[in-house]
Amino acid sequence: MDTQDFTAPEPAFEPAFEMRIDFGDTHHVGHIATGGARSCRPVAGGAFAGEGFSGSLVGGSETLLHRADGVTSVEAEYYIAFVGGDVVHAFGKGYEVLHNGSRDLRCTLLFEADEQGALAALATRAFIAERREGASDTIIYRIV
Amino acid sequence: MKLEFALEFRIALGARMHIELAEGYTRGAVLIENGTFSGPSIAGRIVEKSGGDFPMVRQDGSGRFESQYLLETDDGANILKRSTGVRHAPPEVVRKLMAQEPVDPTSYYMRMTPRFEAPAGPYDWLNRTIFVGVGQRNPTGSIFRFWKVV
């Protein structure tokens, strides 16, 4: 493969934030016509911290589709109220899959924040979230 | 988590169209003329007239990508590729990118997170894998490289 003319930087991760999510009871929609079983874990609370910022989870959900191929796809959405008053929206898509015997959640995350607010820089980067099976914290990595 | 190289795309782009949604907010539309992709366990081409890139571009240089098109592997499998991404760049770099002028790829942040729908079989690892990509605009088109998160 000729890659001589490709000079863009190779991406990497850097840990940025930790998020503890308290979920409410899971809602089960059942098996849907487009394939798979739909369910939703609503966010009931939690905490978000890193890089000098901290806040509380005030809303959101992880919407799951347990697909016919055995993979669980996840659409995640979180609302975080930061100390100081800024509210940020994080959203992304990913999967729950087995990694070395652990059924881990991995999803992409983008942020929406007030452009004049203290968290505006969050919206200028892309992130990956990972939560190991049984772990209480979701680790959010910035893609650099 | 670590990154493992998975795919490289080389794409020739058609003319850019614009939808001026409001002052300072533009939806771009760039249809893909043709393209190829290859990686350690996969190769093929982009299906003609199957889609393109539809970025939301701001005057200040920030932007969000949304793209969708179909792939056909060398052994005949069709795969749907959809991607979201972020670009953040100084306004002068954005102006050059929009004008398809050459820019230093390290002068801006551009990362994509594509998702795939592949048929059951040798490519179904695409259906359960998170990817991270970077892009580069060359005079003749775009090059994207994607790494899988393993």
Side-chain angles (χ1 to χ4, degrees), chain A residues 1-2 5-8 10-11 13 67 95 106 108 110-111 115 123-126 128 130 141 143-144, chain B residues 1 3 8 10 38 58 64 86 88 105 109 111 113 115 127 129-130 132 134 136 143 145 147 149-150:
Chain A
M1 183 171 21
D2 174 20
D5 52 350
F6 191 83
T7 56
E10 187 165 326
F13 298 129
R67 299 189 321 213
Y95 308 102
R106 283 180 182 167
T108 62
L110 297 178
F111 288 86
E115 290 186 281
T124 68
R125 295 293 183 268
I128 299 275
E130 181 185 51
Y141 299 86
I143 303 169
V144 294
Chain B
M1 290 197 302
L3 295 172
E8 177 175 284
R10 289 175 177 259
S38 61
R58 292 280 309 278
R64 291 278 166 104
V86 173
H88 192 72
Y109 180 87
R111 300 288 184 273
T113 54
R115 306 183 308 284
N127 296 336
T129 305
I130 300 285
V132 172
V134 300
Q136 175 178 320
I143 306 172
R145 300 193 92 192
W147 287 258
V149 180
V150 297

Side-chain angles (χ1 to χ4, degrees), chain B residues 113-135:
Chain B
T113 54
R115 306 183 308 284
F116 298 90
E117 288 185 29
Y123 305 115
D124 60 10
W125 57 276
L126 292 162
N127 296 336
R128 55 180 182 271
T129 305
I130 300 285
F131 294 86
V132 172
V134 300

Side-chain angles (χ1 to χ4, degrees), chain A residues 2 17 26 34 37 52 56 68 81 98 112 119:
Chain A
D2 174 20
F17 306 105
T26 298
T34 47
S56 305
L98 280 172
E112 292 176 336
L119 283 305

Side-chain angles (χ1 to χ4, degrees), chain B residues 5-148:
Chain B
F5 175 70
L7 287 160
E8 177 175 284
F9 283 73
R10 289 175 177 259
I11 297 172
L13 301 171
R16 180 182 287 270
M17 294 167 273
H18 298 101
I19 305 167
E20 302 291 344
L21 299 169
E23 188 175 352
Y25 296 84
T26 302
R27 175 71 68 184
V30 189
L31 301 187
I32 292 170
E33 299 262 308
N34 57 70
T36 58
F37 61 93
S38 61
S41 58
I42 189 169
R45 64 184 183 87
I46 297 174
V47 177
E48 287 179 29
K49 299 179 180 174
S50 68
D53 281 315
F54 305 94
M56 173 67 81
V57 181
R58 292 280 309 278
Q59 276 177 339
D60 68 358
S62 59
R64 291 278 166 104
F65 294 99
E66 293 178 29
S67 68
Q68 176 168 310
Y69 42 88
L70 272 178
L71 315 179
E72 183 179 6
T73 62
D74 287 343
D75 57 353
N78 282 124
I79 298 169
L80 177 63
K81 173 178 177 285
R82 289 187 276 200
S83 185
T84 57
V86 173
R87 185 181 67 206
H88 192 72
E92 175 58 18
V93 174
V94 171
R95 187 198 64 73
K96 289 182 177 177
L97 286 168
M98 297 289 282
Q100 303 200 1
E101 295 174 17
V103 298
D104 176 357
T106 63
S107 65
Y108 58 95
Y109 180 87
M110 181 172 167
R111 300 288 184 273
M112 287 79 65
T113 54
R115 306 183 308 284
F116 298 90
E117 288 185 29
Y123 305 115
D124 60 10
W125 57 276
L126 292 162
N127 296 336
R128 55 180 182 271
T129 305
I130 300 285
F131 294 86
V132 172
V134 300
Q136 175 178 320
R137 176 70 55 77
N138 280 1
T140 55
S142 290
I143 306 172
F144 298 103
R145 300 193 92 192
F146 298 108
W147 287 258
K148 53 184 178 180

Side-chain angles (χ1 to χ4, degrees), chain A:
Chain A
M1 183 171 21
D2 174 20
T3 57
Q4 296 299 308
D5 52 350
F6 191 83
T7 56
E10 187 165 326
F13 298 129
E14 60 182 27
F17 306 105
E18 294 186 9
M19 182 166 63
R20 191 202 77 240
I21 308 172
D22 302 326
F23 290 105
D25 292 340
T26 298
H27 305 299
H28 295 279
V29 175
H31 288 270
I32 60 175
T34 47
R38 175 74 75 192
S39 61
C40 175
R41 297 191 283 243
V43 171
F48 185 103
E51 302 190 340
F53 296 103
S54 62
S56 305
L57 271 72
V58 293
S61 62
E62 292 178 358
T63 298
L64 312 177
L65 182 65
H66 306 283
R67 299 189 321 213
D69 64 358
V71 176
T72 299
S73 65
V74 181
E75 294 180 45
E77 182 164 57
Y78 313 108
Y79 288 88
I80 305 140
F82 284 87
V83 173
D86 292 274
V87 175
V88 165
H89 174 217
F91 59 100
K93 295 182 179 180
Y95 308 102
E96 277 186 353
V97 289
L98 280 172
H99 298 109
N100 302 321
S102 170
R103 192 171 184 84
D104 302 336
L105 167 74
R106 283 180 182 167
C107 72
T108 62
L109 275 186
L110 297 178
F111 288 86
E112 292 176 336
D114 189 294
E115 290 186 281
Q116 306 303 320
L119 283 305
L122 284 178
T124 68
R125 295 293 183 268
F127 296 81
I128 299 275
E130 181 185 51
R131 185 171 66 240
R132 307 296 308 275
E133 182 175 14
S136 57
D137 282 348
T138 304
I139 312 297
I140 299 173
Y141 299 86
R142 182 183 290 100
I143 303 169
V144 294

